């Protein structure tokens, strides 16, 4: 029997060529180098000009050198960091938009019943810096350590505690202090950390807990007294100050940390690349290391898995504080 081979018509032949072209083009697009062709945007959900802004810009410059790509720091302040975070959470997961965030990334999700994005919409990438919170009081307060503060506050009947706003790091520390010292705490919320520091320098409140960069100059000049580092170990530029753990108050723990997050769905290879570049920058770039230390912080040096573990533990710990103290946004 003779078999006749059918000849494809031109339309079928053309479609076949297009399919073949598409099949060969897809792997090429998947292997496009990153970054290529456009600058990277690093969103900072706070105003320009502050110490955190300066540190993030130094980091972006060091990262950009290693990637041979411009990294633009994009300040998008408002709503306790939510505006900038939402922008990143809803950005394309292509490796060109990142978020530099800190404690608020956890606190907002715990305290705000309605968020414009899910916490899982942002993927932890790398921990960048950390600094212990410093408990400070006005120099006129007759207490040089937490035990003396406790006795003074009990005699007074309460502590007026200044914070940088409802839900801020200082707010969490205030709740810890009330529980650990067994003294009623009256919260006095200000709009920023700098306003809080000015208030305690002026004697408007008894106690506050802020990052070293905000209080170290006032401590050195004698206008504020540092009572404790809210930490397990002495670190940073104020190592002369004993920790809360050393003084017998191990539940008062708080660090001001920073890290980089990406939109959910960003390819793992890109996440690993930015994590590696960032870690190398904090290990090798002397200007970045010096700038971080001038800001009262230390490089955190936590890659993806370690940073995710840290965040999980902090989320659990802070959630317990929220529950035990019935903490709310006021």
């Amino acid at each position: 029997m003779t078999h006749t081979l059918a000849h494809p018509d031109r339309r079928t032949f053309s479609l076949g060529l297009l399919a073949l072209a598409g099949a060969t083009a897809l792997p090429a697009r998947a292997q496009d180098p990153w970054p290529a062709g456009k600058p990277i945007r690093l969103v900072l959900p706070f105003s320009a000009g502050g110490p955190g802004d300066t540190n993030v810009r130094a980091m972006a410059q060091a990262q950009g050198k290693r990637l041979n790509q411009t990294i633009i720091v994009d300040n998008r302040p408002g709503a306790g960091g939510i505006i900038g975070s939402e922008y990143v959470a809803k950005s394309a997961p292509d490796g060109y938009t990142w978020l530099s965030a800190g404690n608020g990334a956890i606190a907002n999700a715990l305290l705000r019943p309605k968020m414009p994005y899910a916490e899982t919409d942002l993927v932890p990438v790398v921990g960048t810096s950390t600094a212990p919170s410093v408990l400070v009081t006005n120099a006129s307060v007759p207490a040089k350590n937490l035990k003396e503060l406790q006795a003074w506050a009990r005699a007074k009947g309460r502590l007026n505690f200044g914070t940088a706003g409802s839900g801020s790091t200082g707010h969490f520390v205030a709740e810890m202090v009330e529980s650990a010292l067994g003294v009623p705490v009256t919260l006095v919320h200000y709009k920023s950390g700098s306003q809080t520091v000015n208030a305690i320098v002026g004697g408007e409140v008894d106690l506050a807990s802020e990052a070293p960069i905000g209080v170290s100059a006032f401590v050195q000049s004698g206008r504020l007294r540092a009572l404790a580092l809210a930490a397990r170990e002495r670190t940073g530029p104020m190592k002369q100050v004993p920790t809360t753990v050393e003084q017998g108050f191990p539940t008062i723990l708080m660090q001001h940390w920073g890290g980089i997050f990406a939109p959910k769905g960003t390819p793992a290879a890109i996440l690993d690349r930015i994590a590696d570049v960032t870690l190398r920058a904090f290990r090798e770039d002397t200007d970045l290391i010096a700038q971080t230390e001038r800001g009262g912080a230390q490089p955190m040096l936590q890659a993806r898995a370690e940073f995710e573990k840290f965040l999980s533990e902090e989320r659990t710990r802070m959630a317990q504080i929220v529950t035990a103290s019935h903490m709310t946004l006021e």
Side-chain angles (χ1 to χ4, degrees):
M1 181 182 292
T2 302
H3 294 277
T4 304
L5 295 176
H7 293 281
D9 60 27
R10 292 186 178 182
R11 181 175 179 273
T12 304
F13 184 70
S14 298
L15 289 174
L17 286 177
L18 287 173
L20 180 61
T24 56
L26 285 174
R29 285 197 297 270
Q31 294 172 11
D32 281 348
W34 176 92
K38 62 178 181 177
I40 297 167
R41 187 176 303 275
L42 180 60
V43 174
L44 181 64
F46 298 101
S47 301
D53 178 73
T54 303
N55 292 344
V56 168
R57 289 180 186 277
M59 177 183 69
Q61 185 175 18
Q63 291 170 313
K65 288 179 182 177
R66 284 157 179 78
L67 289 170
N68 194 30
Q69 184 71 49
T70 300
I71 298 181
I72 300 170
V73 176
D74 182 0
N75 298 88
R76 291 178 179 262
I82 289 179
I83 291 176
S85 300
E86 179 186 7
Y87 175 83
V88 177
K90 295 181 178 179
S91 293
D94 56 7
Y96 291 95
T97 307
W98 305 82
L99 174 69
S100 177
N103 301 65
I106 295 175
N108 284 328
L110 291 176
L111 292 171
R112 297 178 186 270
K114 292 183 179 180
M115 291 278 286
Y117 60 94
E119 192 175 8
T120 53
D121 288 340
L122 292 168
V123 179
V125 181
V126 59
T128 56
S129 63
T130 183
S133 201
V134 187
L135 287 152
V136 292
T137 188
N138 185 279
S140 64
V141 172
K144 295 183 180 179
N145 55 54
L146 292 180
K147 291 285 188 182
E148 292 181 4
L149 179 74
Q150 184 182 44
W152 177 76
R154 284 177 174 173
K156 181 183 177 183
R158 73 180 188 284
L159 274 173
N160 295 324
F161 199 113
T163 83
S166 183
S168 66
T169 301
H171 187 179
F172 276 87
V173 176
E175 300 292 353
M176 296 181 210
V177 166
E178 181 174 66
S179 175
L181 270 61
V183 176
V185 167
T186 300
L187 294 167
V188 183
H189 295 311
Y190 296 90
K191 292 182 178 181
S192 67
S194 59
Q195 285 189 8
T196 306
V197 172
N198 289 336
I200 195 164
V201 168
E204 295 177 19
V205 291
D206 302 321
L207 191 67
S209 190
E210 290 292 332
I213 191 171
V215 299
S216 60
F218 294 101
V219 172
Q220 291 172 5
S221 68
R223 300 176 72 185
L224 291 180
R225 182 180 296 121
L227 300 183
L229 300 179
R232 293 183 177 87
E233 298 177 355
R234 301 189 190 193
T235 59
M238 302 181 73
K239 291 182 180 179
Q240 76 280 7
V241 180
T243 69
T244 51
V245 174
E246 288 178 65
Q247 297 184 56
F249 298 95
T251 59
I252 305 175
L253 297 171
M254 182 59 68
Q255 52 185 314
H256 301 264
W257 57 265
I260 295 177
F261 298 76
K264 181 177 65 176
T266 302
I270 296 179
L271 298 179
D272 288 336
R273 179 86 186 280
I274 201 73
D276 177 67
V277 164
T278 304
L279 292 173
R280 285 197 292 112
F282 274 103
R283 289 188 179 108
E284 302 167 356
D285 194 299
T286 55
D287 290 340
L288 175 59
I289 295 169
Q291 174 60 45
T292 303
E293 292 176 347
R294 278 196 299 272
Q298 296 177 288
M300 197 170 184
L301 300 178
Q302 289 190 346
R304 285 178 61 197
E306 191 177 3
F307 187 42
E308 288 175 0
K309 181 175 181 291
F310 165 79
L311 292 175
S312 177
E313 292 173 350
E314 276 295 280
R315 187 180 295 106
T316 299
R317 189 175 72 89
M318 292 175 74
Q320 291 170 347
I321 295 167
V322 170
T323 301
S325 64
H326 306 289
M327 187 175 172
T328 60
L329 292 174
E330 301 172 5

mmCIF file of all heavy atoms in Angstrom, residues 195-241:
data_model
loop_
_atom_site.group_PDB
_atom_site.id
_atom_site.type_symbol
_atom_site.label_atom_id
_atom_site.label_comp_id
_atom_site.label_asym_id
_atom_site.label_seq_id
_atom_site.Cartn_x
_atom_site.Cartn_y
_atom_site.Cartn_z
ATOM 1 N N GLN A 195 10.349 64.933 68.785
ATOM 2 C CA GLN A 195 9.455 65.651 69.693
ATOM 3 C C GLN A 195 9.443 65.007 71.072
ATOM 4 O O GLN A 195 9.393 65.695 72.094
ATOM 5 C CB GLN A 195 8.042 65.694 69.125
ATOM 6 C CG GLN A 195 7.858 66.677 67.978
ATOM 7 C CD GLN A 195 6.391 66.848 67.600
ATOM 8 O OE1 GLN A 195 5.506 66.356 68.270
ATOM 9 N NE2 GLN A 195 6.150 67.555 66.504
ATOM 10 N N THR A 196 9.503 63.687 71.098
ATOM 11 C CA THR A 196 9.546 62.973 72.375
ATOM 12 C C THR A 196 10.806 63.331 73.152
ATOM 13 O O THR A 196 10.753 63.587 74.363
ATOM 14 C CB THR A 196 9.504 61.450 72.139
ATOM 15 O OG1 THR A 196 8.373 61.132 71.344
ATOM 16 C CG2 THR A 196 9.444 60.699 73.450
ATOM 17 N N VAL A 197 11.940 63.348 72.462
ATOM 18 C CA VAL A 197 13.207 63.680 73.120
ATOM 19 C C VAL A 197 13.166 65.114 73.642
ATOM 20 O O VAL A 197 13.588 65.393 74.782
ATOM 21 C CB VAL A 197 14.385 63.476 72.154
ATOM 22 C CG1 VAL A 197 15.678 63.997 72.771
ATOM 23 C CG2 VAL A 197 14.525 62.000 71.798
ATOM 24 N N ASN A 198 12.653 66.034 72.853
ATOM 25 C CA ASN A 198 12.544 67.417 73.317
ATOM 26 C C ASN A 198 11.644 67.515 74.548
ATOM 27 O O ASN A 198 11.904 68.312 75.461
ATOM 28 C CB ASN A 198 11.986 68.307 72.202
ATOM 29 C CG ASN A 198 12.975 68.532 71.081
ATOM 30 O OD1 ASN A 198 14.180 68.432 71.277
ATOM 31 N ND2 ASN A 198 12.477 68.811 69.886
ATOM 32 N N ALA A 199 10.600 66.708 74.577
ATOM 33 C CA ALA A 199 9.674 66.734 75.709
ATOM 34 C C ALA A 199 10.335 66.248 76.987
ATOM 35 O O ALA A 199 10.144 66.841 78.065
ATOM 36 C CB ALA A 199 8.448 65.883 75.394
ATOM 37 N N ILE A 200 11.120 65.195 76.887
ATOM 38 C CA ILE A 200 11.749 64.690 78.100
ATOM 39 C C ILE A 200 12.907 65.578 78.539
ATOM 40 O O ILE A 200 13.158 65.755 79.732
ATOM 41 C CB ILE A 200 12.174 63.215 77.943
ATOM 42 C CG1 ILE A 200 12.465 62.621 79.320
ATOM 43 C CG2 ILE A 200 13.359 63.061 77.005
ATOM 44 C CD1 ILE A 200 12.520 61.118 79.328
ATOM 45 N N VAL A 201 13.599 66.179 77.576
ATOM 46 C CA VAL A 201 14.631 67.160 77.929
ATOM 47 C C VAL A 201 13.999 68.339 78.665
ATOM 48 O O VAL A 201 14.553 68.868 79.631
ATOM 49 C CB VAL A 201 15.379 67.649 76.667
ATOM 50 C CG1 VAL A 201 16.246 68.865 76.991
ATOM 51 C CG2 VAL A 201 16.241 66.531 76.087
ATOM 52 N N GLY A 202 12.790 68.727 78.237
ATOM 53 C CA GLY A 202 12.091 69.836 78.863
ATOM 54 C C GLY A 202 11.352 69.471 80.132
ATOM 55 O O GLY A 202 10.720 70.338 80.755
ATOM 56 N N GLY A 203 11.385 68.199 80.529
ATOM 57 C CA GLY A 203 10.746 67.789 81.771
ATOM 58 C C GLY A 203 9.245 67.569 81.669
ATOM 59 O O GLY A 203 8.559 67.462 82.686
ATOM 60 N N GLU A 204 8.716 67.469 80.456
ATOM 61 C CA GLU A 204 7.274 67.265 80.290
ATOM 62 C C GLU A 204 6.848 65.845 80.673
ATOM 63 O O GLU A 204 5.696 65.621 81.060
ATOM 64 C CB GLU A 204 6.860 67.536 78.840
ATOM 65 C CG GLU A 204 7.053 68.975 78.389
ATOM 66 C CD GLU A 204 6.707 69.168 76.923
ATOM 67 O OE1 GLU A 204 5.993 68.302 76.360
ATOM 68 O OE2 GLU A 204 7.151 70.164 76.338
ATOM 69 N N VAL A 205 7.753 64.880 80.518
ATOM 70 C CA VAL A 205 7.479 63.485 80.864
ATOM 71 C C VAL A 205 8.638 62.942 81.690
ATOM 72 O O VAL A 205 9.725 63.520 81.723
ATOM 73 C CB VAL A 205 7.272 62.614 79.601
ATOM 74 C CG1 VAL A 205 5.982 62.993 78.901
ATOM 75 C CG2 VAL A 205 8.451 62.726 78.649
ATOM 76 N N ASP A 206 8.379 61.814 82.356
ATOM 77 C CA ASP A 206 9.402 61.234 83.234
ATOM 78 C C ASP A 206 10.376 60.326 82.502
ATOM 79 O O ASP A 206 11.551 60.242 82.876
ATOM 80 C CB ASP A 206 8.721 60.399 84.335
ATOM 81 C CG ASP A 206 7.750 61.204 85.167
ATOM 82 O OD1 ASP A 206 8.062 62.380 85.458
ATOM 83 O OD2 ASP A 206 6.680 60.667 85.507
ATOM 84 N N LEU A 207 9.867 59.617 81.492
ATOM 85 C CA LEU A 207 10.652 58.543 80.891
ATOM 86 C C LEU A 207 10.315 58.414 79.421
ATOM 87 O O LEU A 207 9.202 58.726 78.990
ATOM 88 C CB LEU A 207 10.336 57.223 81.614
ATOM 89 C CG LEU A 207 11.210 55.997 81.343
ATOM 90 C CD1 LEU A 207 12.619 56.207 81.868
ATOM 91 C CD2 LEU A 207 10.579 54.751 81.987
ATOM 92 N N ALA A 208 11.278 57.949 78.641
ATOM 93 C CA ALA A 208 11.058 57.638 77.230
ATOM 94 C C ALA A 208 12.050 56.554 76.834
ATOM 95 O O ALA A 208 13.015 56.272 77.558
ATOM 96 C CB ALA A 208 11.231 58.870 76.341
ATOM 97 N N SER A 209 11.810 55.943 75.692
ATOM 98 C CA SER A 209 12.722 54.929 75.175
ATOM 99 C C SER A 209 12.898 55.172 73.689
ATOM 100 O O SER A 209 11.955 55.044 72.917
ATOM 101 C CB SER A 209 12.152 53.525 75.428
ATOM 102 O OG SER A 209 13.114 52.530 75.154
ATOM 103 N N GLU A 210 14.102 55.540 73.304
ATOM 104 C CA GLU A 210 14.376 55.925 71.924
ATOM 105 C C GLU A 210 15.675 55.297 71.433
ATOM 106 O O GLU A 210 16.450 54.735 72.212
ATOM 107 C CB GLU A 210 14.463 57.456 71.801
ATOM 108 C CG GLU A 210 13.130 58.180 71.972
ATOM 109 C CD GLU A 210 12.164 57.908 70.827
ATOM 110 O OE1 GLU A 210 12.638 57.646 69.703
ATOM 111 O OE2 GLU A 210 10.945 57.940 71.059
ATOM 112 N N ALA A 211 15.924 55.411 70.137
ATOM 113 C CA ALA A 211 17.157 54.900 69.543
ATOM 114 C C ALA A 211 18.345 55.731 70.022
ATOM 115 O O ALA A 211 18.198 56.925 70.314
ATOM 116 C CB ALA A 211 17.065 54.937 68.025
ATOM 117 N N PRO A 212 19.529 55.131 70.095
ATOM 118 C CA PRO A 212 20.710 55.861 70.578
ATOM 119 C C PRO A 212 20.973 57.165 69.839
ATOM 120 O O PRO A 212 21.357 58.159 70.468
ATOM 121 C CB PRO A 212 21.851 54.858 70.360
ATOM 122 C CG PRO A 212 21.190 53.528 70.440
ATOM 123 C CD PRO A 212 19.836 53.710 69.819
ATOM 124 N N ILE A 213 20.759 57.186 68.512
ATOM 125 C CA ILE A 213 21.073 58.389 67.755
ATOM 126 C C ILE A 213 20.265 59.593 68.224
ATOM 127 O O ILE A 213 20.712 60.734 68.150
ATOM 128 C CB ILE A 213 20.873 58.165 66.241
ATOM 129 C CG1 ILE A 213 21.452 59.335 65.450
ATOM 130 C CG2 ILE A 213 19.396 57.939 65.914
ATOM 131 C CD1 ILE A 213 21.504 59.096 63.964
ATOM 132 N N GLY A 214 19.073 59.359 68.753
ATOM 133 C CA GLY A 214 18.226 60.457 69.170
ATOM 134 C C GLY A 214 18.541 61.017 70.544
ATOM 135 O O GLY A 214 18.146 62.142 70.860
ATOM 136 N N VAL A 215 19.243 60.215 71.375
ATOM 137 C CA VAL A 215 19.430 60.632 72.765
ATOM 138 C C VAL A 215 20.888 60.752 73.202
ATOM 139 O O VAL A 215 21.164 61.365 74.240
ATOM 140 C CB VAL A 215 18.702 59.656 73.715
ATOM 141 C CG1 VAL A 215 17.213 59.645 73.430
ATOM 142 C CG2 VAL A 215 19.277 58.242 73.618
ATOM 143 N N SER A 216 21.816 60.174 72.452
ATOM 144 C CA SER A 216 23.209 60.099 72.932
ATOM 145 C C SER A 216 23.817 61.468 73.202
ATOM 146 O O SER A 216 24.518 61.656 74.214
ATOM 147 C CB SER A 216 24.071 59.315 71.942
ATOM 148 O OG SER A 216 24.071 59.931 70.674
ATOM 149 N N ALA A 217 23.559 62.451 72.345
ATOM 150 C CA ALA A 217 24.135 63.788 72.554
ATOM 151 C C ALA A 217 23.607 64.426 73.839
ATOM 152 O O ALA A 217 24.364 65.084 74.576
ATOM 153 C CB ALA A 217 23.820 64.687 71.357
ATOM 154 N N PHE A 218 22.330 64.207 74.134
ATOM 155 C CA PHE A 218 21.745 64.772 75.352
ATOM 156 C C PHE A 218 22.263 64.047 76.592
ATOM 157 O O PHE A 218 22.421 64.651 77.652
ATOM 158 C CB PHE A 218 20.217 64.678 75.288
ATOM 159 C CG PHE A 218 19.607 65.526 74.205
ATOM 160 C CD1 PHE A 218 19.209 64.965 73.012
ATOM 161 C CD2 PHE A 218 19.433 66.898 74.391
ATOM 162 C CE1 PHE A 218 18.647 65.740 72.010
ATOM 163 C CE2 PHE A 218 18.873 67.679 73.395
ATOM 164 C CZ PHE A 218 18.478 67.108 72.196
ATOM 165 N N VAL A 219 22.530 62.753 76.471
ATOM 166 C CA VAL A 219 23.112 62.010 77.585
ATOM 167 C C VAL A 219 24.531 62.495 77.843
ATOM 168 O O VAL A 219 24.933 62.722 78.995
ATOM 169 C CB VAL A 219 23.095 60.495 77.291
ATOM 170 C CG1 VAL A 219 23.885 59.721 78.353
ATOM 171 C CG2 VAL A 219 21.657 59.984 77.236
ATOM 172 N N GLN A 220 25.295 62.692 76.781
ATOM 173 C CA GLN A 220 26.674 63.163 76.927
ATOM 174 C C GLN A 220 26.741 64.547 77.550
ATOM 175 O O GLN A 220 27.651 64.851 78.329
ATOM 176 C CB GLN A 220 27.374 63.148 75.572
ATOM 177 C CG GLN A 220 27.626 61.752 75.021
ATOM 178 C CD GLN A 220 28.139 61.774 73.588
ATOM 179 O OE1 GLN A 220 28.393 62.829 73.026
ATOM 180 N NE2 GLN A 220 28.264 60.590 72.986
ATOM 181 N N SER A 221 25.771 65.390 77.229
ATOM 182 C CA SER A 221 25.770 66.753 77.763
ATOM 183 C C SER A 221 25.194 66.826 79.174
ATOM 184 O O SER A 221 25.261 67.876 79.819
ATOM 185 C CB SER A 221 24.956 67.675 76.848
ATOM 186 O OG SER A 221 23.573 67.344 76.895
ATOM 187 N N GLY A 222 24.603 65.738 79.650
ATOM 188 C CA GLY A 222 24.051 65.709 80.995
ATOM 189 C C GLY A 222 22.603 66.152 81.093
ATOM 190 O O GLY A 222 22.040 66.203 82.193
ATOM 191 N N ARG A 223 21.970 66.430 79.962
ATOM 192 C CA ARG A 223 20.574 66.888 79.993
ATOM 193 C C ARG A 223 19.601 65.722 80.120
ATOM 194 O O ARG A 223 18.458 65.905 80.537
ATOM 195 C CB ARG A 223 20.261 67.711 78.755
ATOM 196 C CG ARG A 223 21.136 68.959 78.626
ATOM 197 C CD ARG A 223 20.861 69.709 77.341
ATOM 198 N NE ARG A 223 19.568 70.388 77.384
ATOM 199 C CZ ARG A 223 19.042 71.030 76.344
ATOM 200 N NH1 ARG A 223 19.697 71.071 75.181
ATOM 201 N NH2 ARG A 223 17.871 71.620 76.456
ATOM 202 N N LEU A 224 20.050 64.534 79.744
ATOM 203 C CA LEU A 224 19.286 63.320 79.948
ATOM 204 C C LEU A 224 20.161 62.297 80.665
ATOM 205 O O LEU A 224 21.386 62.342 80.571
ATOM 206 C CB LEU A 224 18.809 62.725 78.618
ATOM 207 C CG LEU A 224 17.749 63.473 77.827
ATOM 208 C CD1 LEU A 224 17.420 62.719 76.546
ATOM 209 C CD2 LEU A 224 16.483 63.693 78.649
ATOM 210 N N ARG A 225 19.516 61.361 81.351
ATOM 211 C CA ARG A 225 20.242 60.273 81.997
ATOM 212 C C ARG A 225 19.775 58.957 81.389
ATOM 213 O O ARG A 225 18.572 58.676 81.335
ATOM 214 C CB ARG A 225 19.980 60.267 83.503
ATOM 215 C CG ARG A 225 20.768 59.174 84.247
ATOM 216 C CD ARG A 225 20.489 59.208 85.745
ATOM 217 N NE ARG A 225 20.959 60.463 86.318
ATOM 218 C CZ ARG A 225 20.176 61.335 86.961
ATOM 219 N NH1 ARG A 225 18.888 61.075 87.118
ATOM 220 N NH2 ARG A 225 20.679 62.443 87.450
ATOM 221 N N ALA A 226 20.724 58.184 80.918
ATOM 222 C CA ALA A 226 20.405 56.867 80.357
ATOM 223 C C ALA A 226 20.354 55.850 81.491
ATOM 224 O O ALA A 226 21.359 55.639 82.187
ATOM 225 C CB ALA A 226 21.442 56.464 79.323
ATOM 226 N N LEU A 227 19.186 55.226 81.674
ATOM 227 C CA LEU A 227 19.011 54.274 82.763
ATOM 228 C C LEU A 227 19.295 52.839 82.340
ATOM 229 O O LEU A 227 19.761 52.034 83.157
ATOM 230 C CB LEU A 227 17.586 54.358 83.316
ATOM 231 C CG LEU A 227 17.143 55.692 83.895
ATOM 232 C CD1 LEU A 227 15.738 55.566 84.470
ATOM 233 C CD2 LEU A 227 18.115 56.190 84.953
ATOM 234 N N ALA A 228 18.987 52.506 81.095
ATOM 235 C CA ALA A 228 19.166 51.116 80.665
ATOM 236 C C ALA A 228 19.089 50.993 79.157
ATOM 237 O O ALA A 228 18.381 51.757 78.490
ATOM 238 C CB ALA A 228 18.100 50.229 81.304
ATOM 239 N N LEU A 229 19.799 50.006 78.632
ATOM 240 C CA LEU A 229 19.595 49.551 77.262
ATOM 241 C C LEU A 229 18.565 48.430 77.321
ATOM 242 O O LEU A 229 18.716 47.486 78.107
ATOM 243 C CB LEU A 229 20.895 49.009 76.656
ATOM 244 C CG LEU A 229 22.090 49.957 76.556
ATOM 245 C CD1 LEU A 229 23.280 49.214 75.939
ATOM 246 C CD2 LEU A 229 21.755 51.184 75.751
ATOM 247 N N ALA A 230 17.526 48.511 76.528
ATOM 248 C CA ALA A 230 16.485 47.485 76.527
ATOM 249 C C ALA A 230 16.965 46.286 75.712
ATOM 250 O O ALA A 230 16.471 46.004 74.621
ATOM 251 C CB ALA A 230 15.189 48.045 75.970
ATOM 252 N N ALA A 231 17.962 45.583 76.261
ATOM 253 C CA ALA A 231 18.653 44.535 75.502
ATOM 254 C C ALA A 231 19.238 43.492 76.441
ATOM 255 O O ALA A 231 19.333 43.705 77.656
ATOM 256 C CB ALA A 231 19.764 45.157 74.657
ATOM 257 N N ARG A 232 19.641 42.366 75.849
ATOM 258 C CA ARG A 232 20.289 41.309 76.625
ATOM 259 C C ARG A 232 21.776 41.608 76.821
ATOM 260 O O ARG A 232 22.358 41.227 77.841
ATOM 261 C CB ARG A 232 20.110 39.964 75.925
ATOM 262 C CG ARG A 232 18.671 39.469 75.893
ATOM 263 C CD ARG A 232 18.572 38.088 75.259
ATOM 264 N NE ARG A 232 17.200 37.580 75.298
ATOM 265 C CZ ARG A 232 16.286 37.822 74.380
ATOM 266 N NH1 ARG A 232 16.605 38.562 73.313
ATOM 267 N NH2 ARG A 232 15.065 37.349 74.490
ATOM 268 N N GLU A 233 22.383 42.247 75.816
ATOM 269 C CA GLU A 233 23.816 42.520 75.873
ATOM 270 C C GLU A 233 24.085 43.979 75.527
ATOM 271 O O GLU A 233 23.312 44.620 74.807
ATOM 272 C CB GLU A 233 24.570 41.627 74.884
ATOM 273 C CG GLU A 233 24.433 40.141 75.163
ATOM 274 C CD GLU A 233 25.141 39.302 74.117
ATOM 275 O OE1 GLU A 233 25.658 39.888 73.135
ATOM 276 O OE2 GLU A 233 25.178 38.070 74.279
ATOM 277 N N ARG A 234 25.174 44.506 76.030
ATOM 278 C CA ARG A 234 25.558 45.881 75.730
ATOM 279 C C ARG A 234 26.154 45.948 74.325
ATOM 280 O O ARG A 234 27.126 45.251 74.010
ATOM 281 C CB ARG A 234 26.594 46.385 76.728
ATOM 282 C CG ARG A 234 26.120 46.358 78.182
ATOM 283 C CD ARG A 234 27.113 47.079 79.078
ATOM 284 N NE ARG A 234 26.810 46.878 80.491
ATOM 285 C CZ ARG A 234 27.374 47.590 81.469
ATOM 286 N NH1 ARG A 234 28.265 48.536 81.180
ATOM 287 N NH2 ARG A 234 27.050 47.346 82.720
ATOM 288 N N THR A 235 25.552 46.753 73.485
ATOM 289 C CA THR A 235 26.035 46.928 72.119
ATOM 290 C C THR A 235 25.916 48.384 71.730
ATOM 291 O O THR A 235 25.230 49.170 72.383
ATOM 292 C CB THR A 235 25.224 46.084 71.118
ATOM 293 O OG1 THR A 235 23.837 46.482 71.187
ATOM 294 C CG2 THR A 235 25.326 44.599 71.415
ATOM 295 N N GLY A 236 26.595 48.729 70.625
ATOM 296 C CA GLY A 236 26.463 50.081 70.102
ATOM 297 C C GLY A 236 27.315 51.094 70.829
ATOM 298 O O GLY A 236 28.195 50.754 71.632
ATOM 299 N N PRO A 237 27.048 52.379 70.613
ATOM 300 C CA PRO A 237 27.897 53.440 71.132
ATOM 301 C C PRO A 237 27.663 53.772 72.610
ATOM 302 O O PRO A 237 28.364 54.604 73.166
ATOM 303 C CB PRO A 237 27.501 54.640 70.264
ATOM 304 C CG PRO A 237 26.069 54.390 69.936
ATOM 305 C CD PRO A 237 25.945 52.903 69.787
ATOM 306 N N MET A 238 26.681 53.114 73.256
ATOM 307 C CA MET A 238 26.380 53.418 74.653
ATOM 308 C C MET A 238 26.594 52.187 75.530
ATOM 309 O O MET A 238 25.781 51.849 76.397
ATOM 310 C CB MET A 238 24.940 53.948 74.770
ATOM 311 C CG MET A 238 24.684 55.190 73.936
ATOM 312 S SD MET A 238 23.008 55.870 74.061
ATOM 313 C CE MET A 238 23.081 56.576 75.715
ATOM 314 N N LYS A 239 27.728 51.535 75.325
ATOM 315 C CA LYS A 239 28.020 50.294 76.046
ATOM 316 C C LYS A 239 28.251 50.517 77.536
ATOM 317 O O LYS A 239 28.283 49.555 78.310
ATOM 318 C CB LYS A 239 29.239 49.602 75.429
ATOM 319 C CG LYS A 239 28.988 49.048 74.039
ATOM 320 C CD LYS A 239 30.216 48.344 73.513
ATOM 321 C CE LYS A 239 29.966 47.774 72.112
ATOM 322 N NZ LYS A 239 31.145 47.095 71.553
ATOM 323 N N GLN A 240 28.437 51.763 77.937
ATOM 324 C CA GLN A 240 28.620 52.044 79.358
ATOM 325 C C GLN A 240 27.317 51.929 80.135
ATOM 326 O O GLN A 240 27.315 51.881 81.377
ATOM 327 C CB GLN A 240 29.212 53.450 79.548
ATOM 328 C CG GLN A 240 28.237 54.607 79.366
ATOM 329 C CD GLN A 240 27.964 54.969 77.908
ATOM 330 O OE1 GLN A 240 28.410 54.270 77.000
ATOM 331 N NE2 GLN A 240 27.259 56.063 77.691
ATOM 332 N N VAL A 241 26.201 51.866 79.421
ATOM 333 C CA VAL A 241 24.884 51.807 80.058
ATOM 334 C C VAL A 241 24.502 50.340 80.284
ATOM 335 O O VAL A 241 24.531 49.540 79.353
ATOM 336 C CB VAL A 241 23.817 52.497 79.173
ATOM 337 C CG1 VAL A 241 22.442 52.431 79.846
ATOM 338 C CG2 VAL A 241 24.209 53.949 78.894
#
